[in-house]
Amino acid sequence: MKIHSYAFYNGHLSETERRLSALDNPGSVSIDAAVDRYPDPAPRRPPTQRRSSHSRSESIQELREDLATELTSPLGHVTYPQNLTLPNYVDFTFCPTLCYELEYPRSKERSWAEIGLKTCAVFGCIFLLTLTSEEFILPVLSEANTQLHLKQSAADKALILAETINMLMFPFMITFLLVFLVIFEYVLGAFAEITCFADRHFYSDWWNSCDWYVYIMNTESHPDLTN
């Protein structure tokens, strides 16, 4: 997904730069091709209903400014295609986000104590996941497998399956919470601290979700993904 985001957004910026070049050099290509490359979101009005205060030259100037703004990061420090470098790609690879941008907000410095704490928390969660699987999941599955081979009737097998599912509900819930915690809180937090990534809002209160759509948006509620 990161590679797709990187390639798609830079491809879009390449097309934007091509349109801007067409406006700056009208002799190379047709200006109409640059202006009317994409249709307007609103239906065009007849010429008699258009506002006479906006001439064609003013519209082209506004379009040129919009295209130039799109090629510059919101913070104003990076401009396409100066971002097409190996360090920029490596930085995006380690940043805890799936959506590529020319520039991200950064914190002033990184806290190595926070990095060490989150690293220890990752290994602690992995230990708890291993313990939960070996002590509360694998024995139940092994016992259920043995009983299913001994029983012949469908009713007995259905009862065994129901008991097994009931016994696995709590361990699976613990496993789900630990996996969510280790990924969204500790792993992403550690990479955010390493890369000085200022935006740490990786999820919202998904436990209050009333339907599946809200749940997905809250568990992937990084601003880059939802906006």
Side-chain angles (χ1 to χ4, degrees), residues 148 150-160:
L148 285 174
L150 296 177
K151 302 296 182 179
Q152 299 296 329
S153 65
D156 292 338
K157 291 184 177 181
L159 181 61
I160 293 173

Side-chain angles (χ1 to χ4, degrees), residues 118 179-190 200 202-203:
K118 291 185 180 297
V179 169
F180 180 87
L181 184 67
V182 72
I183 293 177
F184 285 90
E185 185 66 27
Y186 297 134
V187 173
L188 294 183
R200 309 296 172 88
F202 301 121
Y203 60 91

Side-chain angles (χ1 to χ4, degrees), residues 2 10 15 22 81 107 138 141 146 149 151 159 170 174 180 189-190 198 213:
K2 274 180 169 283
N10 280 294
E15 181 63 28
S107 55
L138 291 180
L141 293 176
T146 302
H149 283 84
K151 302 296 182 179
L159 181 61
F170 185 73
I174 295 298
F180 180 87
Y213 174 77

